[in-house]
Amino acid sequence: MSIQEWTYAMVGATFLLYIGIAVWSRVKTTAGFYVAGQGVPAIANGMATGADWMSAASFISMAGLISFMGYDGTIYLMGWTGGYVLLALLLAPYLRKYGRYTVPEFVGDRYYSQAARIVAVGCAIFVSFTYVAGQMRGVGIVFARFLEVEINTGVFFGMALVLVYATLGGMRGITYTQVAQYTVLIFAYLIPAVAISLKMTGTPIPQIGFGSMVVDGPNAGLYLLDAIDQIHRELGLPEYTGAFIAGKKSQIDILAITMALMVGTAGLPHVLIRFYTVPSARAARWSAMWALLFIGLLYTTAPAVATFARVNMIQTLHGTEYEHAPEWFKKWEATGLIAFADKDGDGMIRYSGDEQANELEVDPDIMVLANPEIANLPAWVVALVAAGGLAAALSTAAGLLLVISSSISHDLFKSIFTPEMSEARELLLARISAAAAVLVAGYFGIHPPDYVAAVVAFAFGLAAASFFPILVLGVFSKTATKEGAIAGMLTGIGFTAAYIIYFKILGWGSPEDWWLGISPEGIGTIGMLMNFAVTLGVSRFTSPPPKEVIELIDEIRRPGI
């Protein structure tokens, strides 16, 4: 069977599985739709959280970025995994003990203000749409290459599938679909990594192969990282393992991006809402532990995958005649995600750090998907990776769409505008909101502002600047007031969004104009600090929280199960 036939078979089988789970888990109550009836076992919630968390950015784009950024790419590993430690220690058990449906609901009750709740809804929707744009783009890329359709057509396929299982099963359907998607994506990531590690370094464990000698090809006898550094030097590129050197990110930008990703992780509403679905605060802690374990399987493999792909791609393409380029090159070239410009007219592909001499442009988003083909692995492995990429993108997209729909139906209409609305009408509105959110997400998937992982990094910055300070102060401070919270959220997300829009959407500045040398991906750290400062500052000059709020804080912080 060809790669395309294998892809149709595997993707079709996984899609049928997801739809079957959605039909089986169809809900008839708002508790089932919003929080899966709060009966999900900790280990299942850990797997679902892993799938919810490991989006297209993690599966498709992260290793691709590490492949091009080298040492700088560790910001994603440190930021995204470190954020889970903050989440487990500072927020997950407390929010579960609070025991409602959404993050804006907690903000509204803790800060005794419908205005604070509305601001939180706005932040949740803004962050979620930014994040989901990257997921839908990832879906389009996978479909474009492996089913040989336009990227936009692929986005439409993804929209249709998410629409079915997100609106039918709500959180219950999404949870058990994500358990299946985690299984698919982790096997899809590890199997080619093990095969390529065995082929290049003689060890089947990618994490060990990453630090081992190359046993095949022109770099045999060199340690893998020494080999990639040597290749980079010969091509005029910054050393792969070099840190804070010319051509790479500055130390302050590395620190800012890592911090933004870390605190953004702990403030993402679609991750936080997962801890509402387990039976107790104790189960929430265990969920975080299981999730970190499941996520760690992929994250510790990513640097090896990135380096394998980088070495294989350069050795396969650099110096090769375009007419004799491998089939996978021509297939990806048709998608527009890899391009060759014969600047010297000799018909040879040349890859170089010198822009004038470089003839090859490669989108980082293709590296993981193309890796099995570059390494000449069997067609079924290539198709499995495609199914894994789709599972990663769709699982996260579904979680984000649920946040958007619950923010609209529960936080706005049921709680503020039409509190007399029946449960049946609220459930219908939640499904309609999810459907509308799918359409908007599809638009942003077709018109993304940047690479998948970069778009996702913006979402983390926005979450860091809006939710993290308010949630942490909401649990651990008895003096933070509603006026302070509203001012803090608006300041944090307003500043961060304006900075990102100025540089990335409008394109009005260059890296030389970055404030303090901090890129748009890392500006969420400054937004977070501003949020803390404004919230605490305004709280000092406004009336303290009422007695019932102090009692709420004492209750959620009291040790218990």
Side-chain angles (χ1 to χ4, degrees):
M1 291 173 66
S2 68
I3 289 176
Q4 194 172 19
E5 290 169 335
W6 271 111
T7 304
Y8 273 113
M10 288 200 177
V11 170
T14 54
F15 278 19
L16 286 175
L17 175 64
Y18 305 153
I19 292 173
I21 292 173
V23 173
W24 164 75
S25 58
R26 184 175 183 178
V27 295
K28 296 180 180 178
T29 64
T30 51
F33 193 89
Y34 294 139
V35 291
Q38 297 186 325
V40 179
I43 189 168
N45 195 49
M47 293 180 75
T49 306
D52 204 2
W53 171 247
M54 289 187 290
S55 61
S58 293
F59 189 97
I60 296 174
S61 200
M62 182 175 66
L65 284 174
I66 296 173
S67 185
F68 280 77
M69 297 167 69
Y71 174 88
D72 288 358
T74 55
I75 54 179
Y76 295 100
L77 300 173
M78 294 187 293
W80 285 341
T81 50
Y84 249 85
V85 178
L86 291 180
L87 188 61
L89 292 176
L90 300 180
L91 295 176
Y94 303 105
L95 291 180
R96 175 59 192 89
K97 198 167 183 185
Y98 163 70
R100 299 291 180 86
Y101 290 166
T102 67
V103 173
E105 193 168 19
F106 172 78
V107 173
D109 287 352
R110 163 57 184 85
Y111 292 103
Y112 49 99
S113 166
Q114 293 290 42
R117 185 171 185 164
I118 292 173
V119 172
V121 167
C123 293
I125 292 175
F126 190 33
V127 170
S128 298
F129 270 130
T130 306
Y131 202 149
V132 80
Q135 310 315 308
M136 301 312 291
R137 179 71 175 175
V139 171
I141 289 172
V142 176
F143 274 120
R145 165 59 189 92
F146 296 105
L147 299 185
E148 298 184 12
V149 298
E150 295 288 331
I151 289 180
N152 294 351
T153 305
V155 171
F156 291 133
F157 279 137
M159 290 167 60
L161 182 64
V162 171
L163 182 66
V164 170
Y165 72 80
T167 56
L168 270 182
M171 178 58 90
R172 179 175 157 81
I174 288 171
T175 296
Y176 290 105
T177 304
Q178 286 173 337
V179 170
Q181 287 168 331
Y182 176 80
T183 306
V184 171
L185 76 87
I186 199 65
F187 277 103
Y189 206 85
L190 293 181
I191 287 176
V194 167
I196 297 171
S197 179
L198 191 61
K199 190 174 181 180
M200 288 186 70
T201 67
T203 174
I205 303 174
Q207 291 85 347
I208 296 177
F210 182 55
S212 302
M213 286 186 179
V214 179
V215 297
D216 189 26
N219 295 301
L222 287 176
Y223 282 101
L224 181 64
L225 292 176
D226 288 339
I228 189 65
D229 276 344
Q230 179 174 298
I231 291 170
H232 271 224
R233 286 193 295 270
E234 291 171 355
L235 296 177
L237 294 161
E239 281 193 348
Y240 190 77
T241 59
F244 319 129
I245 59 177
K248 293 208 168 187
K249 289 184 176 297
S250 65
Q251 193 168 11
I252 189 172
D253 199 26
I254 291 280
L255 177 64
I257 296 175
T258 303
M259 181 63 72
L261 295 175
M262 191 177 293
V263 297
T265 296
L268 280 175
H270 77 290
V271 174
L272 292 168
I273 200 174
R274 287 236 52 90
F275 297 100
Y276 288 105
T277 66
V278 293
S280 64
R282 176 184 171 87
R285 288 192 181 92
W286 276 104
S287 289
M289 189 280 290
W290 283 116
L292 196 55
L293 176 66
F294 293 133
I295 291 168
L297 278 176
L298 187 146
Y299 272 53
T300 56
T301 308
V305 170
T307 310
F308 297 154
R310 183 78 173 166
V311 171
N312 276 335
M313 184 201 73
I314 294 175
Q315 289 183 344
T316 302
L317 296 181
H318 180 65
T320 299
E321 288 186 25
Y322 177 72
E323 292 300 323
H324 297 131
E327 183 182 359
W328 63 264
F329 180 88
K330 301 294 177 64
K331 296 280 188 183
W332 279 107
E333 192 177 29
T335 68
L337 297 174
I338 190 167
F340 166 62
D342 193 7
K343 292 178 180 176
D344 57 9
D346 66 353
M348 304 283 284
I349 300 172
R350 300 194 187 283
Y351 189 54
S352 172
D354 180 357
E355 288 189 10
Q356 300 301 318
N358 182 44
E359 299 176 330
L360 182 64
E361 296 293 337
V362 182
D363 188 313
D365 288 343
I366 75 169
M367 293 302 288
V368 168
L369 299 173
N371 200 23
E373 292 179 278
I374 298 173
N376 292 316
L377 296 184
W380 68 269
V381 178
V382 179
L384 180 62
V385 172
L390 288 171
L394 293 173
S395 60
T396 304
L400 291 162
L401 293 171
L402 189 73
V403 168
I404 296 169
S405 70
S406 61
S407 295
I408 295 171
S409 60
H410 185 69
D411 289 308
L412 287 184
F413 282 87
K414 176 64 178 177
S415 301
I416 298 176
F417 298 139
T418 55
E420 72 284 357
M421 182 166 51
S422 68
E423 182 171 354
R425 288 181 64 83
E426 184 184 353
L427 188 59
L428 176 63
L429 179 60
R431 288 187 163 123
I432 294 173
S433 302
V438 168
L439 296 177
V440 179
Y443 173 82
F444 285 117
I446 293 170
H447 304 285
D450 211 322
Y451 297 124
V452 172
V455 173
V456 169
F458 299 153
F460 279 77
L462 295 170
S466 56
F467 279 122
F468 182 75
I470 298 307
L471 295 176
V472 170
L473 291 174
V475 172
F476 294 100
S477 170
K478 295 182 181 178
T479 59
T481 66
K482 62 180 179 182
E483 294 86 356
I486 293 170
M489 281 190 288
L490 291 175
T491 302
I493 199 166
F495 167 78
T496 305
Y499 194 87
I500 292 171
I501 291 170
Y502 181 87
F503 284 102
K504 284 294 183 180
I505 308 297
L506 302 177
W508 286 353
S510 64
E512 289 73 27
D513 302 318
W514 290 346
W515 189 43
L516 302 175
I518 297 174
S519 64
E521 290 87 344
I523 200 63
T525 297
I526 303 299
M528 173 200 67
L529 295 175
M530 293 172 72
N531 187 336
F532 268 118
V534 170
T535 302
L536 293 173
V538 172
S539 295
R540 288 198 62 180
F541 299 101
T542 50
S543 301
K547 180 183 175 186
E548 57 269 23
V549 170
I550 303 299
E551 292 173 351
L552 171 67
I553 296 170
D554 287 335
E555 175 59 29
I556 62 176
R557 286 168 53 182
R558 185 172 296 124
I561 59 173

